Amino acid sequence: MTPVLLVELNRGELHDVEAPAEFATSEPFSVELRNHGEAVHVHVRADEALSSVARIESDGNLFVEHESTQSVPVGVDSVDSPVTGTLELATGYGSEKRTVEVTVEPPSDGDAVDVDETLSRPEKRAETTPLGERLAARLPGRRVVPVLLLGAVAIAVAAAVANAVRSPAVLVGAGVVVGAVLVAIVALLR
């Protein structure tokens, strides 16, 4: 996948240019111009140091439509040591400018492996616990059992009253009681 240097245009106000301070790559990349407002002309230019190893694949003077995105490909030569230069992005006929320090690096060795700090910690092994202990850990505690029984009694009483009276208002009230008890039980078991 081609690396992307993302540039935000007109996000805060007209001719506003937002870009990272620096960008590094070892391969061709694209400058993605995202316009958040009115149409704008953008001039993209590499300084002498950067242009010795990178070339902008367009004329560098671009028109970016209202709320659209335009991609500018940048070709990169292979280098033996890092080359750093600046890429200048200007709008508003040069009144707003942003420079990005671009470093073109030698291609990375294909056999290299990225290592992060998680490899320095030993792997956690699954502890083997007897089945009885695992079941006991999943069952509700002693304080929860009386609440569960009280909830079951409340549901049974609400169902019995709704069945005996057979009134729409009582049926709605019983439904509210059952719903509240179920929500309380779910919250209790979390």
Side-chain angles (χ1 to χ4, degrees), residues 136-153:
R138 294 198 183 265
L139 291 175
R142 288 186 178 166
R143 292 183 176 178
V144 175
V145 173
V147 175
L148 291 176
L149 290 175
L150 183 60
V153 169

Side-chain angles (χ1 to χ4, degrees), residues 12-181:
E13 58 186 43
L14 184 61
H15 300 299
D16 192 24
V17 181
E18 297 174 29
E22 52 191 36
F23 181 78
T25 186
S26 61
E27 57 187 299
F29 65 98
S30 66
V31 178
E32 187 169 297
L33 303 168
R34 283 193 191 159
N35 188 1
H36 297 274
E38 296 301 317
V40 65
H41 282 275
V42 180
H43 186 73
V44 181
R45 185 183 73 82
D47 72 352
E48 188 175 335
L50 183 59
S51 63
S52 69
V53 294
R55 68 208 154 276
I56 299 168
E57 305 287 343
S58 69
D59 75 355
N61 190 11
L62 305 149
F63 182 73
V64 184
E65 295 284 339
H66 169 73
E67 293 191 8
S68 67
T69 300
Q70 188 166 348
S71 191
V72 180
V74 179
V76 173
D77 296 334
S78 182
V79 295
D80 294 329
S81 61
V83 175
T84 300
T86 58
L87 187 68
E88 182 180 271
L89 306 149
T91 64
Y93 303 103
S95 64
E96 293 294 323
K97 293 180 185 177
R98 178 76 58 202
T99 58
V100 179
E101 184 176 279
V102 177
T103 302
V104 177
E105 301 171 334
S108 63
D109 193 8
D111 298 331
V113 176
D114 290 335
V115 178
D116 65 2
E117 72 250 8
T118 58
L119 292 176
S120 66
R121 290 185 226 122
E123 182 180 329
K124 293 182 180 179
R125 303 223 181 252
E127 297 178 16
T128 56
T129 56
L131 179 62
E133 288 180 24
R134 285 187 290 178
L135 285 175
R138 294 198 183 265
L139 291 175
R142 288 186 178 166
R143 292 183 176 178
V144 175
V145 173
V147 175
L148 291 176
L149 290 175
L150 183 60
V153 169
I155 290 175
V157 169
V161 169
N163 190 32
V165 175
R166 295 192 186 257
S167 164
V170 173
L171 185 61
V172 169
V176 170
V177 169
V178 170
V181 168

